[in-house]
Amino acid sequence: MKTFKLENEPKIESGFRTPNDYFENFSVKMMERLPASEPKVISIFQKRKTLFMMIAAILVLALMIPIIANWSQNKQELDSVALENYITYQSNVNQYDLINELETEDISKIKINVAIEDKAIEDVLAMNSNLENLLLE
């Protein structure tokens, strides 16, 4: 095999050449081509920040709708007549169920002092033929 010597072989010249004094004046020419004022840079993160704020606001509003709906409803208290009529006409509710559900505080609020004379009690017992049923209850 023949030895290869790099210096002896003819070299292929590149087709690209730089003009004379190109790199000496390059920085001056480049500065002349740049615009005088720099353009305003808009960050990508700024757009994301507004997007996150909009999503957070929508989420807060969505969570507040049920709270506002419950708060704005007019809550009507049950009047005692309606409650009494309901309990009276329900056949599956008896006095023992009501007693079991009442607490001692509720019972103390219900107590009403009614002055009944002995004569009135005797009259009711004398007129009532179901005395045995009353005694058993």
Side-chain angles (χ1 to χ4, degrees):
M1 185 157 142
K2 189 165 109 173
T3 59
F4 180 72
K5 294 185 181 179
L6 191 58
E7 290 86 22
N8 294 339
E9 295 293 323
K11 296 181 182 179
I12 300 174
E13 295 209 16
S14 169
F16 300 105
R17 292 182 189 247
T18 57
N20 294 335
D21 301 327
Y22 180 75
F23 288 108
E24 292 174 6
N25 298 330
F26 180 74
S27 62
V28 175
K29 288 180 183 178
M30 190 60 145
M31 292 305 285
E32 289 174 359
R33 289 184 181 177
L34 289 176
S37 63
E38 294 190 18
K40 183 179 178 183
V41 177
I42 299 174
S43 175
I44 295 175
F45 298 111
Q46 182 67 26
K47 288 183 180 179
R48 285 187 179 174
K49 185 178 178 182
T50 55
L51 179 66
F52 287 137
M53 294 298 282
M54 288 172 49
I55 291 172
I58 291 170
L59 183 65
V60 167
L61 286 174
L63 292 176
M64 288 299 291
I65 288 173
I67 295 170
I68 292 172
N70 287 339
W71 182 54
S72 65
Q73 287 179 350
N74 293 334
K75 295 183 179 179
Q76 296 177 352
E77 295 292 327
L78 290 175
D79 59 323
S80 60
V81 175
L83 184 60
E84 186 177 338
N85 288 337
Y86 176 77
I87 293 173
T88 302
Y89 294 115
Q90 294 299 319
S91 61
N92 58 355
V93 177
N94 58 22
Q95 62 187 359
Y96 300 112
D97 292 336
L98 292 176
I99 291 170
N100 288 335
E101 294 299 321
L102 291 176
E103 296 179 6
T104 55
E105 298 168 359
D106 297 331
I107 294 171
S108 64
K109 290 178 184 176
I110 293 175
K111 287 184 181 177
I112 299 173
N113 293 332
V114 178
I116 300 176
E117 297 179 9
D118 293 335
K119 182 155 177 72
I121 294 173
E122 288 176 6
D123 290 340
V124 169
L125 291 175
M127 297 286 188
N128 195 350
S129 61
N130 295 329
L131 185 61
E132 291 178 10
N133 290 338
L134 293 175
L135 290 176
L136 292 177
E137 286 185 8

